[in-house]
Amino acid sequence: MEQISAYKQTIWQKIIHGETGEGVRIGNDEMTIKEWDKLISRIDHSLTIGR
């Protein structure tokens, strides 16, 4: 029961601080749009350097 309460508190804090967002499902993981954009940006940068 304590774990559920702690999880609810974590979610509530994320909502209050605006740390939640629309998610993109990737296999078994989920990323926010912001995290997805950051990942794609790093991949693009790596591919550009590798040329």
Side-chain angles (χ1 to χ4, degrees):
M1 198 66 170
E2 289 179 30
Q3 290 176 333
I4 293 172
S5 180
Y7 181 73
K8 284 182 178 180
Q9 184 65 28
T10 300
I11 296 299
W12 182 247
Q13 290 298 320
K14 285 183 175 185
I15 291 169
I16 289 172
H17 296 291
E19 298 172 358
T20 60
E22 188 176 339
V24 175
R25 194 106 178 115
I26 308 296
N28 202 27
D29 288 332
E30 187 169 342
M31 304 172 108
T32 64
I33 299 296
K34 185 176 180 179
E35 292 170 329
W36 176 255
D37 288 342
K38 186 176 178 181
L39 174 66
I40 295 301
S41 178
R42 287 188 307 210
I43 291 170
D44 287 344
H45 180 73
S46 295
L47 291 173
T48 302
I49 290 174
R51 290 183 181 176

